[in-house]
């Protein structure tokens, strides 16, 4: 199993550009999550999905969009990049709705918006 | 509201000494508690979790954590620190209802040779 994979590893965007951060998992997990990590701020939840076709907002959804057309993939879209979106983005997945299942994290995407 | 607090941004400990990384939580209902470790330029890795039962939970790499319901704490411990334990540690909580995990702000552990 590759686990949770994310592409790209690094990206520099200009203000106003758009991009999609890719996330895929091969563990047949129903739940998937997108977080951003800023220094000293821990992880903030952007969006999550409880299954294909179902997504919901987290704590900091503004400026982002997601879709979940398959169990495996959960891309994160930035439509109009802003400097405030400079961050490290992590995708994660977990097996089921049971609260005791831990999350598996991808290696992250480091995004800089200039 | 559900939340996690890690009161120490930085913990320094000498190699071979015991280490403790602190975590307190607030959650509705029964708490499910997790510890994750993050090495530089890597994603978070699961260390251990508390679901129910024995208050002392053992996890990967010799780490353990003690659940204390009355103090709403879940401190991470290791009897003898290694230099390779130097990393960023995150505590997380999830209630028995709801879909979200709530993470602390992280504690940077440095083990000094």
């Amino acid at each position: 199993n590759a686990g949770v994979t994310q592409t790209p590893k690094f990206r520099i965007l200009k203000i106003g550009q758009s991009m999609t951060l890719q996330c895929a998992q091969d563990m047949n997990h129903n739940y998937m999550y997108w977080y951003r990590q800023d220094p000293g701020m821990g992880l903030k939840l952007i969006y999550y999905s409880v299954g294909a076709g179902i997504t919901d907002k987290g704590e900091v959804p503004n400026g982002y969009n997601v879709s979940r057309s398959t169990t495996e993939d959960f891309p994160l879209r930035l439509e109009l990049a802003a400097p405030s979106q400079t961050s490290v983005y992590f995708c994660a997945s977990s097996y089921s709705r049971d609260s005791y299942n831990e999350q598996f994290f991808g290696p992250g995407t480091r995004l800089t918006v200039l | 509201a559900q939340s996690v607090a890690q009161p120490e941004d930085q913990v320094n400990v000498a190699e071979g000494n015991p280490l403790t990384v602190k975590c307190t939580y607030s959650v509705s209902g029964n708490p499910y508690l997790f510890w994750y470790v993050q090495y530089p330029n890597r994603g978070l890795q699961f260390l251990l979790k508390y679901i129910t039962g024995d208050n002392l939970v053992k996890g990967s790499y010799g780490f353990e954590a003690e659940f204390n319901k009355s103090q709403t704490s879940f401190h991470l411990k290791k009897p003898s620190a290694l230099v390779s334990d130097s990393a960023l540690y995150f505590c997380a909580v999830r209630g028995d209802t709801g879909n979200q995990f709530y993470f602390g702000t992280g504690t940077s552990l440095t083990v000094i040779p």
Side-chain angles (χ1 to χ4, degrees):
Chain A
N1 284 351
V4 180
T5 57
Q6 292 183 240
T7 56
K9 286 188 169 59
F10 306 94
R11 184 73 183 268
I12 299 175
L13 283 182
K14 293 182 180 178
I15 295 172
Q17 285 187 320
S18 301
M19 77 164 295
T20 299
L21 283 67
Q22 301 291 345
C23 173
Q25 52 89 12
D26 62 358
M27 297 174 283
N28 202 30
H29 285 175
N30 290 323
Y31 280 50
M32 296 187 75
Y33 310 79
W34 273 106
Y35 293 92
R36 58 178 287 171
Q37 183 182 32
D38 300 310
M41 298 295 291
L43 277 74
K44 300 291 185 184
L45 182 65
I46 305 171
Y47 271 95
Y48 67 98
S49 169
V50 303
I54 307 169
T55 62
D56 207 348
K57 295 177 181 178
E59 188 178 357
V60 289
N62 291 344
Y64 307 94
N65 277 302
V66 293
S67 59
R68 183 97 181 270
S69 57
T70 67
T71 299
E72 293 78 19
D73 300 299
F74 190 41
L76 178 71
R77 178 82 177 162
L78 282 71
E79 289 295 348
L80 292 170
S84 61
Q85 294 178 304
T86 294
S87 188
V88 181
Y89 292 84
F90 289 102
C91 179
S93 69
S94 63
Y95 179 56
S96 75
R97 66 167 298 162
D98 294 325
S99 297
Y100 50 80
N101 286 298
E102 65 271 22
Q103 292 178 311
F104 293 80
F105 283 82
T109 294
R110 187 174 296 274
L111 175 67
T112 302
V113 182
L114 299 174
Chain B
Q2 302 184 95
S3 65
V4 173
Q6 292 181 244
E8 299 159 319
D9 291 335
Q10 175 80 39
V11 170
N12 297 324
V13 63
E15 186 176 22
N17 281 3
L19 70 87
T20 298
V21 182
K22 296 179 180 177
C23 171
T24 59
Y25 67 90
S26 173
V27 69
S28 302
N30 293 318
Y32 298 101
L33 294 151
F34 304 81
W35 276 103
Y36 292 84
V37 60
Q38 184 181 31
Y39 297 101
N41 301 313
R42 302 287 295 274
L44 279 69
Q45 296 176 32
F46 170 73
L47 272 181
L48 52 79
K49 64 183 175 184
Y50 170 82
I51 303 171
T52 187
D54 195 348
N55 289 343
L56 186 64
V57 178
K58 294 187 184 297
S60 306
Y61 312 120
F63 284 94
E64 57 190 28
E66 187 167 12
F67 171 64
N68 187 316
K69 187 173 183 178
S70 62
Q71 297 186 3
T72 61
S73 67
F74 189 56
H75 301 331
L76 182 69
K77 300 181 180 184
K78 188 173 182 181
S80 178
L82 300 172
V83 172
S84 57
D85 293 330
S86 298
L88 192 55
Y89 290 81
F90 289 95
C91 182
V93 68
R94 188 175 182 181
D96 55 6
T97 58
N99 298 315
Q100 299 187 29
F101 290 78
Y102 295 86
F103 285 82
T105 52
T107 298
S108 179
L109 172 68
T110 300
V111 181
I112 303 164

